[in-house]
Amino acid sequence: LPHYWRTMVVLLTSDGLSSPALQAEMQRQCAAVAAKAGGGIRMWYIPTAALHEGANSRVVASMSKQIADRFSISDVAVIDPEHVRHDELERQVAQLRPNVVYAEMGNTYALRHHLRNSGGDTLVHNAMRAGALFVGSSAGSIVAGRTVQTAFWKDWDDRTANGSIRVDWTDPKLAAGLDLANGRSFFPHANGQYARATWQKAQAERHGHTDHEVIILADGEGYLVDGDVGRYVA
């Protein structure tokens, strides 16, 4: 495993910071980030997934502001790697120097594709190497894992992002996630019928995901990876 994984902190959620336990954990992690930074928290908010599930720029601006206000984040930049790419994306992220990266819920495939095609995935890894906290919500949590193919289990998301992308997501290399959680993958919204262990086992077997750990998250739950240690937050 890359050596910097031993110092990475990743908080992955099913549906955002929706429970008191998750909010308290976010408060603790933001306090730790602020202590390391000697003050200010600077958040790169990635809206790509949400923008492919019906949100507009005004909605994602409001969503990012709610997070910033609740957790005393002093500087927020909403930067969409679908439209800000390569050198310009690198310039904007370097100017921000994020110590929190927040990947919003929405279309998993759009988020993974545009992070890869823009160079954003490298910038996320660079931020993590520098000690940033990564927070994922739903699609953001899936993309942070080893594979995004856990989105196949329910198959809710449009694999073409409304016809805007063409990727063979059955190819394990193209479906590789950011792999920020020590080789784990993530399955959010494990509610109702999707909470059944027999159904989950069948999906893992059907899609070839029995070779590594898949973290199952119901709404209101999260999973914290702090270096080599992982634990549920609920």
Side-chain angles (χ1 to χ4, degrees):
L1 301 181
H3 67 87
Y4 61 88
W5 274 9
R6 294 187 177 89
T7 60
M8 288 200 315
V9 182
V10 180
L11 179 59
L12 302 176
T13 74
S14 178
D15 61 337
L17 302 164
S18 60
S19 69
L22 284 168
Q23 291 160 16
E25 189 62 52
M26 182 66 170
Q27 291 282 14
R28 282 191 290 272
Q29 296 303 329
C30 283
V33 166
K36 283 192 293 185
I41 304 174
R42 303 174 300 277
M43 182 172 73
W44 175 14
Y45 179 89
I46 304 175
T48 313
L51 292 170
H52 279 273
E53 284 292 333
N56 58 32
S57 58
R58 185 167 56 186
V59 169
V60 297
S62 175
M63 292 165 73
S64 66
K65 185 176 185 301
Q66 287 176 15
I67 296 167
D69 289 348
R70 183 170 196 116
F71 300 103
S72 302
I73 296 171
S74 55
D75 194 2
V76 179
V78 179
I79 307 174
D80 179 6
E82 179 175 2
H83 300 292
V84 182
R85 306 174 67 217
H86 303 307
D87 289 348
E88 180 58 19
L89 179 60
E90 186 173 357
R91 186 192 68 79
Q92 290 192 24
V93 172
Q95 184 177 35
L96 177 64
R97 296 180 297 114
N99 46 23
V100 174
V101 178
Y102 191 104
E104 189 55 88
M105 67 176 67
N107 187 286
T108 302
Y109 306 108
L111 175 59
R112 183 65 191 103
H113 173 76
H114 291 298
L115 278 173
R116 178 186 289 123
N117 274 22
S118 65
D121 48 4
T122 298
L123 298 177
V124 170
H125 278 106
N126 289 345
M128 301 304 292
R129 286 187 185 95
L133 165 68
F134 184 96
V135 183
S137 174
S138 187
S141 297
I142 295 175
V143 167
R146 174 171 162 177
T147 179
V148 303
Q149 289 180 351
T150 51
F152 292 179
W153 291 20
K154 292 193 303 286
D155 208 22
W156 285 356
D157 292 4
D158 181 351
R159 299 187 194 187
T160 71
N162 295 316
S164 64
I165 60 176
R166 295 183 64 182
V167 178
D168 179 9
W169 296 108
T170 64
D171 182 333
K173 290 184 179 178
L174 295 177
L178 296 174
D179 205 6
L180 299 179
N182 296 351
R184 301 174 179 92
S185 293
F186 293 84
F187 176 70
H189 309 302
N191 312 310
Q193 63 178 318
Y194 305 118
R196 296 201 306 265
T198 52
W199 181 88
Q200 295 163 8
K201 182 175 183 289
Q203 295 304 310
E205 291 172 349
R206 175 184 178 188
H207 297 292
H209 300 154
T210 58
D211 60 342
H212 67 287
E213 185 179 12
V214 178
I215 300 297
I216 306 298
L217 297 173
D219 287 353
E221 292 182 340
Y223 194 81
L224 179 74
V225 180
D226 188 347
D228 294 331
V229 179
R231 63 175 173 85
Y232 278 90
V233 180

